[in-house]
Amino acid sequence: MRTIVIVILLLGAAGAGLWYGTFRAQPLPVDGRLSFTPPRAAPPETMRLSVLHAGRMEAWAAMAYRGGALSEVRTFGMDAVLIEHPAGDLLIDTGFGRDVGAHFETTPALMQHTSSYIEETPVVDQLRAAGRDPDALAGVILTHAHWDHVSGLADFGDVPVWVTAEEMDFIASDDPGTVLARQLSPDIQWQVYDFPDGPYLGFPASRDIHGDGAVVVVPAGGHTPGGVIIFVAPPRGPRYAFIGDIAWQREGIAMPAERPWLMRDMVDVDAARVRDLLVRLHQMQQALPTLIMVPAHDRRVMAQLPPFHAGAATPR
Ligand SMILES: [Zn+2]
């Protein structure tokens, strides 16, 4: 009896220790305020931006950021964002594609056993239903190459897929996070790009995709080695920063707070760089309160973007 009590006490202490060191709220230290000046942009009047929901998963808020509740279930959207621009339409990420069932089986066993997914309409089918030719896209820009961001790539024919050299190496490596990208790779028209366009919002280098400041990509490795942030400045309304999985939910930037230890260990290649980015983005948000920071999987933030529908397409 005494042994059982001691075992229970030890298990309780271990559980409390795990909770304390992993899930307890622990906002990252922020070293003062920084000033950021919104860079000049001259987007064309016909530029549009819209979000397409392609699937979702559900997980406790506690899994997404330190301080999240264990009792609160959050929806993790698997979404893509369409940027229509006269110089060429771009998609940011793809969300789940038509073969998501087979794709899910390429993920680590721990993830398959602890999560499940819900299918929505693949992006390619939403575009077709709206009378648009998916193969006419100028390109897909990946925030990074994890499976839930590339699953839809298999549905697009020869559409170029923009990645950084570091992310291409990550895809070619034996990392368990890029099994799917590696499998799809031979059939993808990869477009490896660099950052020739100088500093942007405190990042040392950038690429201005259309040359008008409407879509500007900066290197932001940490979650994956060659991940990026994509800044979008539409002709009207707020600007957006598509931050991929640097944070899974907006609290990651707002607090700022990193993922719990177990999740960091599973999904981030460099947790220290992710911490630096979270703090930097938090400071940017303080200085530019109208800029909308968009974590790839936060449906509450995605709800602030115009939804894609047939009528939203720019006639041409
Ligand atoms: Zn990711």
Side-chain angles (χ1 to χ4, degrees):
M1 184 62 195
R2 210 160 116 202
T3 314
I4 293 173
V5 170
I6 289 170
V7 167
I8 288 172
L9 284 175
L10 283 174
L11 284 175
L18 187 69
W19 178 85
Y20 192 79
T22 304
F23 297 113
R24 177 184 55 103
Q26 192 181 57
L28 296 166
V30 178
D31 191 16
R33 294 179 89 93
L34 295 179
S35 72
F36 293 89
T37 309
R40 235 180 48 78
E45 274 303 307
T46 52
M47 178 184 170
R48 297 278 182 281
L49 165 142
S50 58
V51 61
L52 300 96
H53 303 310
R56 61 187 191 275
M57 297 176 92
E58 289 183 340
W60 295 312
M63 294 296 167
Y65 60 95
R66 292 197 61 155
L70 266 168
S71 54
E72 187 188 347
V73 174
R74 289 276 172 90
T75 299
F76 283 55
M78 303 295 159
D79 302 329
V81 172
L82 177 66
I83 303 167
E84 297 172 75
H85 189 290
D89 296 345
L90 298 167
L91 205 60
I92 298 177
D93 293 336
T94 67
F96 288 166
R98 287 174 171 171
D99 295 326
V100 62
H103 295 170
F104 185 61
E105 288 175 17
T106 69
T107 64
L110 178 64
M111 189 169 135
Q112 290 186 51
H113 285 105
T114 54
S115 58
S116 61
Y117 63 89
I118 298 150
E119 290 185 55
E120 293 173 291
T121 309
V123 168
V124 75
D125 294 324
Q126 294 190 48
L127 293 173
R128 287 231 167 81
R132 302 175 60 101
D133 176 8
D135 294 337
L137 284 175
V140 177
I141 305 184
L142 296 177
T143 59
H144 64 294
H146 278 156
W147 82 282
D148 47 331
H149 298 255
V150 306
S151 165
L153 288 181
D155 304 335
F156 290 91
D158 292 334
V159 173
V161 179
W162 290 57
V163 283
T164 61
E166 291 87 349
E167 202 69 353
M168 204 67 233
D169 289 344
F170 184 50
I171 292 167
S173 74
D174 59 359
D175 192 282
T178 48
V179 173
L180 178 60
R182 202 147 48 247
Q183 277 181 13
L184 301 177
S185 189
D187 296 321
I188 290 176
Q189 305 295 318
W190 296 112
Q191 178 87 44
V192 177
Y193 65 98
D194 57 4
F195 300 96
D197 293 323
Y200 188 94
L201 282 174
F203 290 91
S206 66
R207 173 171 281 266
D208 183 347
I209 298 282
H210 297 305
D212 56 6
V215 183
V216 177
V217 188
V218 301
H223 176 58
T224 64
V228 298
I229 297 172
I230 302 159
F231 291 94
V232 177
R236 282 169 300 283
R239 293 187 182 198
Y240 301 88
F242 294 94
I243 65 166
D245 288 359
I246 293 168
W248 277 333
Q249 300 274 292
R250 66 182 177 210
E251 288 86 349
I253 305 297
M255 288 174 74
E258 61 185 339
R259 273 177 272 275
W261 163 77
L262 183 65
M263 310 312 279
R264 286 201 306 276
D265 194 57
M266 211 156 56
V267 304
D268 293 330
V269 296
D270 188 335
R273 283 170 77 190
V274 173
R275 275 193 288 276
D276 289 345
L277 284 164
L278 290 169
V279 171
R280 169 70 63 83
L281 292 171
H282 174 86
Q283 289 170 313
M284 191 184 295
Q285 183 75 92
Q286 281 187 322
L288 304 173
T290 60
L291 173 68
I292 298 180
M293 300 273 179
V294 189
H297 300 302
D298 193 327
R299 276 276 164 94
R300 299 165 304 171
V301 181
M302 285 293 182
Q304 295 177 254
L305 275 68
F308 176 77
H309 56 86
T314 309
R316 62 175 68 117

